[in-house]
Amino acid sequence: MTVGIVGLGLIGGSFAKAYKLEKHNVYGFDSDESILSFAQVSGAIDGVLSDNSIAECDVIFLAVNPADAVAYLESIAPKIKKDTVVIDCCGVKRFVCSHCFPLAQKYGFIFVGGHPMAGSHKGGFKNSRDNLYRGASIILVPPVYDDPVLFGKIEELLKPAGFGHLTVSTAEKHDEMIAFSSQMAHVVSNAFIKSPAAREHKGFSAGSYKDLTRVAQLNADMWAQLCMENGDYLINELDVFIKEITRYKDALAEKNENKLKDLLEEGSRIKGELDN
């Protein structure tokens, strides 16, 4: 098949390498010409995604920030052939899908909201790899939910990436759950590391510190955009977190060991239930 990839960072670069590993034709685009050139020299892509190659693509991945994904698709929509499937890789779905579904309907191609649930705190093409998605899940927001032929086509197009599971969702449910499972984790980690004690942690920290701070170092431009686009759901999660963390603080201030023990046992029990 012929694949187009917009954005050759960690996500797009990993798609490029995975599809090239399976001997498919891959065309890429990145606003950074040095990355685009390196991707060609390294063999991750066969050439630049141009007006001509766009018209050849069976699937196009939009692996850039939400606003850039929408803007790029608007610019190339008339050039996409009718049976091409376009899949975005953004961390929010309501914003992207509300703009891209109408474009697909207008120009006759197929748009599917997508969110690969794989990544790393180390971004960029240099950290991309052909097995990033192997066994991972990808969340899909299709234009319709009752078309087995469409789902079969999507599954076949995604097969070279090696995903282990396809999760189908609505844009609204996706954004609600991602506010908890991803955006909250990044915000909490990023806030946690601002403690003055962080500058003196060496020799005093181990696995728990590493686990909690793994995603504190992030792409601020990207995460600010994602969080702002999903602000309503993220604020809801922050309200819950602030309420819960205040209960721990109050127990300490009251010197109420039993209350603190109950809170710790409650959290431990819920974690156990979820893992089982």
Side-chain angles (χ1 to χ4, degrees):
M1 75 178 80
T2 299
V3 182
I5 300 173
V6 181
L8 295 172
L10 175 68
I11 299 301
S14 294
F15 270 118
K17 292 175 180 178
Y19 280 80
K20 280 304 299 176
L21 187 67
E22 297 296 320
K23 311 301 182 185
H24 296 289
N25 298 319
V26 179
Y27 294 96
F29 172 78
D30 196 279
S31 58
D32 187 328
E33 292 188 4
S34 64
I35 293 176
L36 188 58
S37 296
F38 184 73
Q40 292 184 80
V41 171
S42 67
I45 62 174
D46 297 292
V48 177
L49 186 62
S50 62
D51 289 355
N52 290 333
S53 54
I54 284 170
E56 300 173 11
C57 289
D58 300 297
V59 60
I60 297 173
F61 293 100
L62 304 176
V64 290
N65 292 347
D68 293 335
V70 171
Y72 189 88
L73 188 59
E74 287 175 342
S75 71
I76 68 166
K79 307 175 182 76
I80 301 173
K81 66 181 181 179
K82 301 301 181 183
D83 59 345
T84 297
V85 175
V86 178
I87 304 174
D88 83 282
C89 305
C90 302
V92 291
K93 295 273 77 77
R94 286 176 296 171
F95 172 80
V96 177
C97 290
S98 66
H99 287 81
C100 295
F101 281 142
L103 283 172
Q105 188 172 21
K106 179 179 179 179
Y107 291 101
F109 60 88
I110 301 165
F111 177 78
V112 178
H115 187 180
M117 300 308 292
S120 169
H121 61 291
K122 295 181 179 180
F125 182 80
K126 65 181 180 180
N127 293 303
S128 62
R129 59 183 192 272
D130 58 32
N131 64 350
L132 180 68
Y133 305 118
R134 196 152 303 154
S137 173
I138 182 170
I139 304 171
L140 299 173
V141 179
V144 294
Y145 294 84
D146 57 354
D147 186 345
V149 174
L150 173 60
F151 282 105
K153 180 174 184 175
I154 295 169
E155 189 172 10
E156 190 65 25
L157 289 171
L158 288 172
K159 189 175 292 183
F163 287 105
H165 185 68
L166 277 60
T167 300
V168 178
S169 175
T170 64
E172 291 75 14
K173 189 63 176 178
H174 168 276
D175 287 0
E176 178 186 6
M177 296 308 299
I178 289 300
F180 166 74
S181 65
S182 178
Q183 292 168 351
M184 267 295 291
H186 284 78
V187 169
V188 170
S189 181
N190 191 266
F192 173 79
I193 202 64
K194 294 176 182 178
S195 168
R199 300 190 181 280
E200 303 178 58
H201 81 89
K202 290 186 178 180
F204 295 88
S205 60
S208 56
Y209 169 85
K210 291 180 181 178
D211 290 343
L212 189 50
T213 60
R214 185 180 66 82
V215 293
Q217 190 173 10
L218 42 71
N219 181 326
D221 287 338
M222 181 186 77
W223 281 99
Q225 186 178 149
L226 292 174
C227 291
M228 291 300 291
E229 289 295 346
N230 208 30
D232 51 351
Y233 284 129
L234 183 53
I235 287 171
N236 288 341
E237 290 300 333
L238 283 166
D239 284 341
V240 172
F241 182 79
I242 291 168
K243 177 183 175 181
E244 289 300 321
I245 206 71
T246 299
R247 295 171 67 198
Y248 292 79
K249 179 182 177 182
D250 290 346
L252 289 167
E254 297 164 7
K255 300 187 184 303
N256 191 331
E257 185 175 345
N258 287 333
K259 182 177 180 180
L260 180 60
K261 178 182 175 182
D262 289 343
L263 289 169
L264 293 169
E265 286 182 341
E266 180 185 33
S268 180
R269 174 178 53 78
I270 292 172
K271 172 62 175 171
E273 291 172 353
L274 294 174
D275 286 352
N276 291 328

